Every structure is written in structure tokens, then in C-alpha cells.
Amino acid sequence: MQENAHTPAKDAAPTGTQTLLRGLGVVQAVAAGARDLKEIARRIGTTRSTTHRLASCLVDERYLRVVPQVGYLLGPKLIELGFQAREELPLVTLAVPYLDELSALTGDTIHLAIREHDDVLYLHKNPGRYGPEMRSRVGHRMPLARTGVGKAMLLDDSVQEWQRLYDASLPAGGKNLQWPHHPEQSWAQFEQRMHEYVAGGYAFDLEDNEPSIRCVAAPVRDASRRIVAGISIASTVPYMPLEKMAELIPVIKQVAARLSAELGAKA
């Protein structure tokens, strides 16, 4: 019995490379749901005997496992390597090209931040080309519930967690001494907006943290689909009208999705 047809690239590859590619094909087939040798062989275009040799080797090396009544599954070695790869990922290094892209496209201030307890921690900032400089800076912390990038990192949290963080972000005495004439949004307003943000996969800062500053933000996810960071586009009100904010939603969501893909998240 002959092998099924392969792509020209694989046929032209050296024998060792072809074996490697077939082995990777077996892993990818199992990851895609193939559970038996027949289905794996069909997906990668090899004979059953070749597929058995590849799969057996991968089981021996713990890249695959065989579960009775289930079939082939991804093995513990891949889990170990996955965690190692995630720990080694330099988030800022991966993010900078995407942040630079947003900066060049919009001319606005671009932030990358992570959650640290109840605060946003800024990891990177591309200053904007328009208007006065805003007070955010690398290493600076702000309450999660008061920033667009912070709210973007709360999209998967419960209403109870939203309210806890909202309450924690309120100024002492209920009035912001730094900007005494700036109205505070109520909890009802905050909750309603958060539900809208969850449905849309983005978040806004509508002068919630600093008068005259608005921003559009989106979450960044890792391979487990957990939110691990946020990115935002921010500017002053004259350069960030509501119409522009609406136009930026698909822009920042698309860039956040591409950065998430660098971290292993599937679309």
C-alpha cells in the first residue's frame, strides 16, 4: 500500500524533515479532534502503519497519550512546554509592534497595561501627537474601575466584583478633591456601561479617571482565553469625539486579537 499524495513542499523535503512534519501533523490532527489512527492517517495523508509508528513514538515521548474508550489525546509534555512558553513570553516585547502600529495609525496615546490587585499597572506608553500630555506613565497605577484599559480587563468578572472595585475607586467623602466639579458616575451607570462593554468586547473611559481624557480599550487574552492585559487608545476630548471612539472599537479589537494570537489565543 502506497502513501497518499502529499504537498509538493513535503515531497521535496529531506527525509528527516518530512518525518518531523508528519509527526507535527499527528499532533495537530489530535489537537483538532482526531482520536484514532484511521482518522489521523486520513488527515495527514499517511498509511496506517506509518501513522502508528509516529503516534507510538509521540506517546513514548509523552507528546500524546492514549485513553481507553477515548483514543489519542494531547500529552503532558505539551502541557509542560505550554506553561514554559507562556512564562517565557515577553509581553511588552511582543506588544510593541502592535502599539507602534496603533500609534502611527491614530496619533493618539497608546497604553499597554496589566492588572495588579485592584489597580491598572502601565507597562508601556506611546505618547500622542495631539493635545497636552496625560498623566499616565510606565510603572504608574490607577484604579481598575476608573480607566478604560482597566475596565477592559474586567469584562470576564462578575457584577459583584465590578461593584467592589467601583466602591473601592470612589474618592474619600464621595468627592474628587483634585477635580471637585467633575461629576462622578453612579454605580447604576457604571454597571449598565459594563454590560454594554461585555457585549461589545471593548471598554471606554468617558472622562471617568481624568477630566477631558477619553479612551477606547480592549482586552488581551492568552492561550487559555484568560484576560492577561489590556491596550487602549486615549486622547483629549477635542481629539476623541464619541464618533471617533465608535470608529476605533473595531480597530483596537482587531489589534488586541492579533496580540492575543501571539500569546496563543485562538480566534
Side-chain angles (χ1 to χ4, degrees), residues 5 7 10 22 41 58 68 130 161 170 175 201 216 230 233 235 253:
T7 63
K10 287 185 179 180
R22 286 175 175 174
L58 289 165
Y130 313 119
E161 178 68 353
L170 291 176
K175 182 173 287 189
V216 184
I233 306 170
S235 193
K253 285 178 61 178

Side-chain angles (χ1 to χ4, degrees), residues 203-219:
F204 282 170
D205 176 351
L206 297 169
E207 303 180 73
D208 304 318
N209 189 49
E210 189 175 350
S212 84
I213 300 298
R214 290 176 174 170
C215 86
V216 184

Side-chain angles (χ1 to χ4, degrees), residues 33-48:
R35 295 289 171 257
D36 56 41
L37 291 174
K38 180 179 179 181
E39 178 61 16
I40 296 170
R42 186 189 69 80
R43 294 197 185 205
I44 68 172
T46 55
T47 64
R48 186 183 179 93

Side-chain angles (χ1 to χ4, degrees), residues 97-108 110 126-127 129-130:
Y98 299 98
L99 305 179
D100 288 347
E101 178 183 324
L102 284 174
S103 184
L105 178 67
T106 67
D108 298 316
I110 310 299
N126 285 29
R129 298 192 293 270
Y130 313 119

Side-chain angles (χ1 to χ4, degrees):
M1 182 176 179
Q2 295 183 340
E3 301 282 1
N4 295 339
H6 302 299
T7 63
K10 287 185 179 180
D11 285 339
T15 302
T17 303
Q18 191 177 62
T19 301
L20 173 62
L21 291 174
R22 286 175 175 174
L24 292 172
V26 172
V27 173
Q28 291 165 356
V30 172
R35 295 289 171 257
D36 56 41
L37 291 174
K38 180 179 179 181
E39 178 61 16
I40 296 170
R42 186 189 69 80
R43 294 197 185 205
I44 68 172
T46 55
T47 64
R48 186 183 179 93
S49 60
T50 297
T51 306
H52 182 264
R53 287 196 302 272
L54 292 168
S56 296
C57 180
L58 289 165
V59 169
D60 290 342
E61 296 298 323
R62 301 170 61 245
Y63 287 93
L64 295 180
R65 72 177 99 206
V66 182
V67 178
Q69 281 77 54
V70 176
Y72 288 95
L73 297 173
L74 299 181
K77 187 67 175 179
L78 290 173
I79 299 173
E80 295 166 12
L81 293 175
F83 275 106
Q84 183 178 343
R86 187 176 70 177
E87 291 301 317
E88 291 178 356
L89 282 173
L91 176 60
V92 174
T93 301
L94 289 174
V96 163
Y98 299 98
L99 305 179
D100 288 347
E101 178 183 324
L102 284 174
S103 184
L105 178 67
T106 67
D108 298 316
T109 299
I110 310 299
H111 294 112
L112 169 72
I114 59 171
R115 177 175 182 171
E116 190 164 272
H117 306 299
D118 292 352
D119 293 328
V120 164
L121 174 63
Y122 292 100
L123 298 183
H124 189 83
K125 176 181 179 180
N126 285 29
R129 298 192 293 270
Y130 313 119
E133 180 63 24
M134 57 191 66
R135 62 193 181 116
S136 59
R137 63 184 185 277
V138 174
H140 191 49
R141 287 175 170 78
M142 300 258 191
L144 280 162
R146 299 190 75 87
T147 62
V149 72
K151 282 177 270 190
M153 291 188 281
L154 298 178
L155 297 186
D156 291 349
D157 285 16
S158 66
V159 174
Q160 292 75 18
E161 178 68 353
W162 294 346
Q163 183 157 24
R164 185 186 73 79
L165 292 166
Y166 168 83
D167 291 341
S169 74
L170 291 176
K175 182 173 287 189
N176 194 319
L177 299 179
Q178 191 171 4
W179 300 293
H181 303 296
H182 182 61
E184 290 290 333
Q185 65 174 330
S186 67
W187 159 244
Q189 290 172 318
F190 183 90
E191 182 186 13
Q192 179 183 352
R193 289 175 183 171
M194 285 301 299
H195 285 297
E196 292 172 1
Y197 300 154
V198 170
Y202 69 95
F204 282 170
D205 176 351
L206 297 169
E207 303 180 73
D208 304 318
N209 189 49
E210 189 175 350
S212 84
I213 300 298
R214 290 176 174 170
C215 86
V216 184
V220 175
R221 299 177 182 273
D222 66 6
S224 68
R225 298 297 299 166
R226 183 174 62 90
I227 295 174
V228 294
I231 58 175
S232 69
I233 306 170
S235 193
T236 55
V237 171
Y239 301 99
M240 191 64 78
L242 295 177
E243 295 80 9
K244 179 181 176 181
M245 295 182 78
E247 293 171 358
L248 286 175
I249 291 172
V251 174
I252 197 162
K253 285 178 61 178
Q254 195 260 356
V255 172
R258 287 164 56 203
L259 177 54
S260 297
E262 293 274 8
L263 299 174
K266 291 184 179 180

